[in-house]
Amino acid sequence: MSDLLALRVELPPWIAGFRAALPACLETPEQRMEVAIDLSRQNVLAGSGGPFGALVVAEDSGEVVALGVNRVEPGSCSSAHAEIVALSMAQRLAADWNLGRHPAAPLQLVSSCEPCAMCLGAIPWSGVASVLCGATKADAEAAGFDEGDRPDEWMEKMAARGIRVHIGLMRAEAAAVLDLYARSGKTIYGPDSRVAGK
């Protein structure tokens, strides 16, 4: 009965060691993106989810607030995308849904890939002040993922809400993880799930 009263999406066991090995602060955008890409790669290599990683950091100091990886298949949860997991972990740790009130705010969401339609919708309500992305929507779709319908002017719409967006940082490195997953034969999940390469 208790299973009907709770929703849990757990991070994979390797995250604890990964987090322990990180510096307390990631000062540059490149350092932050390298961690997001490393998270995505490790998730693929460990077989613990899809090829996406994300983290929430303090914009100014680079203090690491929370980590996230894609847990769609392990969690049987279509909304367990890396960005949603990272934002949710940050909110849980802060005991506040509005990360704009976090003691280390303003906060930044760093993702190995541009947000899909779902994650894009979650960003404005999360309270982050900026978003940093690696691979693009086109890269994810080239790997076979359905990124959903997203307005062409999404970055302008974020800017109108006071959320700064930068895309394409270390794009080639981030896209390489998507390609690795696509060639692995693992499930490309979405409305019409299929096995990669088939």
Side-chain angles (χ1 to χ4, degrees):
M1 186 65 164
S2 62
D3 286 347
L4 298 176
L5 304 176
L7 172 65
R8 288 178 60 110
V9 175
E10 297 182 354
L11 290 172
W14 59 261
I15 284 279
F18 186 99
R19 176 67 182 92
L22 289 179
C25 296
L26 304 168
E27 296 180 0
T28 69
E30 291 77 14
Q31 289 174 322
R32 299 170 191 183
M33 184 54 64
E34 185 176 355
V35 170
I37 296 169
D38 285 347
L39 283 165
S40 69
R41 184 183 302 108
Q42 181 60 32
N43 210 36
V44 173
L45 296 177
S48 51
F52 303 94
L55 60 155
V56 176
V57 301
E59 266 193 355
D60 298 332
S61 69
E63 174 192 342
V64 178
V65 175
L67 304 178
V69 292
N70 180 285
R71 296 291 281 167
V72 169
E73 288 201 294
S76 299
C77 181
S78 64
S79 62
H81 289 199
E83 300 97 317
I84 301 288
V85 172
L87 291 170
S88 298
M89 287 299 299
Q91 291 161 342
R92 181 173 180 186
L93 291 168
D96 193 336
W97 62 268
N98 185 352
L99 295 176
R101 296 191 290 245
H102 192 280
L107 300 185
Q108 178 179 68
L109 173 66
V110 184
S111 176
S112 65
C113 189
E114 284 184 29
C116 69
M118 178 183 67
C119 295
L120 180 64
I123 290 169
W125 293 333
S126 70
V128 297
S130 64
V131 182
L132 185 61
C133 307
T136 65
K137 179 177 188 264
D139 296 325
E141 290 176 340
F145 289 97
D146 181 350
E147 295 297 278
D149 298 322
R150 203 181 63 185
D152 293 335
E153 66 281 7
W154 70 275
M155 288 191 292
E156 290 83 354
K157 290 182 179 294
M158 288 286 135
R161 290 175 173 267
I163 301 170
R164 300 176 308 283
V165 177
H166 179 81
I167 64 172
L169 180 64
M170 300 177 66
R171 177 183 177 184
E173 295 92 329
V177 180
L178 297 171
D179 184 59
L180 172 68
Y181 186 88
R183 290 185 286 106
S184 72
K186 295 177 182 173
T187 303
I188 300 289
Y189 42 83
D192 296 314
S193 289
R194 61 181 178 81
V195 174
K198 294 191 178 179

